Amino acid sequence: MSATPQKNRASRRVLAAAAGLVTVGALVAAMPAGAHDRGHGHGGGHGHGHKPRTVDVQLLSFNDLHGNLEPPAGSAGNVSKTHPDGTVESIPAGGVEYLATSLRTARKGNPYSVTAAGGDMVGASPLLSGLFHDEPTIEALNKLDLDVTAVGNHEFDEGATELARLQNGGCHPVEGCYEKGRKFKGADFPYLAANVTKEKTGKPLLKPYTVWKKNGVKIGFIGVTLEGTPDIVTANGVKGLKFHDEVETINKYARELDRKGVKSIVALIHEGGAPASTSYNYDCDSPGAGDGISGPIVDIAKGITPKVDALVTGHTHQAYVCTVPDPSGKPRMVTSASSFGKLYTDTTLTYDRRTNDIVRTSVKSANHVVTRDQPKAPDMTRLIDRWNKLAAPIANKPQGWISADINGRGSTAPEKPLGNVIADAQLEGLAPADKGGAEVAFMNPGGIRADLVHKASGSEGDGVVTYGEAFTVQPFTNMMNVVDLTGAQLVTALQQQVSGPNEASPKILQVSKGLTYTLDLTKSGADRVVADTIKLNGEAIDPARTYRVAMNEFLAGGGDGFPALGEGTNKLVGASDLDLFNAYLAAHSTATAPLAPPATDRITVIQ
């Protein structure tokens, strides 16, 4: 999902130890030693004697973990399952204590098992990981025996130097080491970024591919992020980097691997699609009208050379196991495992020792729920407890009270209750003349990372919103901007929600109270926003008038496909989005008068 990247949070991370500063070196080949021979050897061997011609390789994969070490709260922590009678069940899922158990159980009896990920392992993370620049998540992934991952757009939230530190280790250059006597070791799996090069040298930022080997079996992994990464992270995060076409890049390195004798290839792609059903067990290859999968991954899959045997994808936070024809017309497996560690995909790749290639006709794959009714992995429990102790003084501070769940991430509606709260918080905080004089506020939907859940997450009591919970909703700590935009630019910005790069997958801005309009989804393109219905405080928008508009710096830079919002002038930089959110909770709720979920009556939707 698109989302706003985080800025410097040094001021909030007061827990950092002063000692042990280690500066991150130049972006050398950021690859752990020995990463070209990645066989973790899960399970046993085949014993002595004659080797069978084929061997089944188990590929376990997941994507878009986003530092969710603890089970995600509320509806964002559920997956949907459709039963044969058509009823839909909601299953609580996720949490690395359960993900570790699921993966370890799945590996049993599979001597050839490799675990790969499709990017966004870190970034936009809950406080437990985000407060510590995602070191806890890298530690957890090391313990999970992750073999390889592609980079996602969120791996660039804090820039290339910080990404290199996550790979190579070393304490944070500003905040140092978080625990006395313990230095951050970095990822013991390679991050792959085949389509990201340095502008100055043209050389790849990180390794483009790695080869997993065991007992003569060789599988190449090529990793790419979406070409449009610069459109969905702040300019600072991608400074000095170039992002290239996914298909051209994968095809180039597939040829290189093929020349080296590596005939079995898996592409890890941080880009995805949308299946016709949100149920994880949906049969993506069912033939009905409107069935199957849509979105950017379809054209990408159709363009990738037949040398690639399977595609592990991500970014859209959807669950699917589909076949999409390769350029020769043969079906090829394309998978995605939702997000936040709620699912994992188990794919069987039958490896032919004579051809060194995968027998494509026998590739089988299925998504499995990471249920919370299985035993927790004790090493993950210890990891979570250790970091929670460090985070507790900040995380547990009450910020406000709510009377019921206020859904954000878990809402599928264009206008989300939590989106309204956030936009109202931004307007209220920036309306005073000396704070920017804002008249309206916009919030990008992808920047809302969770729901506000009424049930207590710890010992704080039901209805209490802690700093940790607020941080999980708004983890980027983006600075707010107030800018001048004309009425005409405002109307254009609203039309850009459903046109241009956002036409295929609309991004509906969350708007502050007072702004109303009609969204007609029966129309196409910009016409879906009915221009003559757009009103502010009951008055039609005047195309010639100047309005003061509040938004986070990501949107103010034209991010998420909103170039009109990037045209603002007379900019005033305000407080961070998280500070305004917390201030609003404090001002509008008490233990006896908690904040209720607001009405969603600003955008009238015609389906």
Side-chain angles (χ1 to χ4, degrees), residues 202-527:
K203 289 185 175 159
L205 174 71
L206 299 167
K207 289 285 181 189
Y209 59 80
T210 190
V211 180
W212 179 88
K213 301 173 188 172
K214 186 171 181 194
N215 296 343
V217 173
K218 290 189 291 190
I219 298 180
F221 288 88
I222 304 167
V224 297
T225 186
L226 70 155
E227 186 183 6
T229 290
D231 303 327
I232 53 175
V233 304
T234 52
N236 279 347
V238 293
K239 209 172 178 182
L241 301 177
K242 248 186 134 170
F243 292 77
H244 304 271
D245 182 81
E246 303 95 338
V247 175
E248 287 171 18
T249 303
I250 291 168
N251 289 352
K252 170 185 160 184
Y253 287 112
R255 286 193 299 273
E256 189 172 313
L257 282 165
D258 189 53
R259 281 198 304 272
K260 290 183 171 182
V262 179
K263 308 292 183 187
S264 300
I265 303 171
V266 175
L268 308 175
I269 308 172
H270 192 69
E271 178 60 290
S277 163
T278 55
S279 288
Y280 87 89
N281 62 332
Y282 166 64
D283 178 4
C284 205
D285 294 334
S286 53
D291 277 354
I293 186 173
S294 58
I297 200 60
V298 178
D299 286 339
I300 290 172
K302 285 177 178 172
I304 289 173
T305 171
K307 291 181 197 299
V308 174
D309 299 296
L311 277 54
V312 171
T313 73
H315 188 56
T316 56
H317 291 204
Q318 303 293 311
Y320 48 84
V321 172
C322 306
T323 56
V324 177
D326 70 14
S328 71
K330 289 185 180 146
R332 177 169 52 194
M333 197 62 77
V334 180
T335 68
S336 173
S338 184
S339 63
F340 302 171
K342 293 181 288 191
L343 297 176
Y344 71 92
T345 314
D346 189 338
T347 303
T348 302
L349 303 171
T350 301
Y351 184 93
D352 186 332
R353 289 183 183 275
R354 199 171 295 169
T355 63
N356 296 328
D357 207 349
I358 300 300
V359 184
R360 281 262 295 276
T361 50
S362 65
V363 174
K364 297 189 293 291
S365 191
N367 274 326
H368 299 278
V369 183
V370 177
T371 58
R372 299 184 199 164
D373 58 2
Q374 59 186 319
K376 295 179 179 183
D379 56 337
M380 293 299 177
T381 304
R382 287 193 296 272
L383 181 144
I384 288 169
D385 288 348
R386 203 180 93 230
W387 288 102
N388 261 333
K389 278 194 186 76
L390 284 175
I394 289 177
N396 297 338
K397 275 190 186 158
Q399 302 298 312
W401 292 263
I402 54 174
S403 64
D405 288 2
I406 305 181
N407 283 348
R409 194 73 184 186
S411 167
T412 54
E415 181 183 349
K416 304 170 195 311
L418 190 50
N420 288 355
V421 173
I422 291 169
D424 287 353
Q426 295 176 353
L427 176 62
E428 184 171 294
L430 300 169
D434 62 335
K435 298 282 194 288
E439 298 167 82
V440 64
F442 292 136
M443 174 64 193
N444 56 311
I448 305 167
R449 303 305 299 185
D451 303 334
L452 276 187
V453 178
H454 184 263
K455 189 174 173 7
S457 59
S459 58
E460 76 275 13
D462 290 351
V464 178
V465 180
T466 64
Y467 184 89
E469 290 164 340
F471 182 101
T472 298
V473 169
Q474 294 260 266
F476 302 105
T477 319
N478 269 314
M479 302 315 290
M480 292 299 301
N481 291 182
V482 187
V483 299
D484 283 350
L485 287 171
T486 65
Q489 288 169 320
L490 268 187
V491 172
T492 301
L494 290 172
Q495 291 171 332
Q496 285 168 350
Q497 300 175 109
V498 289
S499 62
N502 293 331
E503 179 155 9
S505 181
K507 291 195 177 81
I508 306 303
L509 295 165
Q510 306 300 288
V511 300
S512 55
K513 63 183 175 203
L515 187 78
T516 53
Y517 70 93
T518 296
L519 185 65
D520 187 347
L521 297 178
T522 64
K523 296 182 175 169
S524 62
D527 291 340

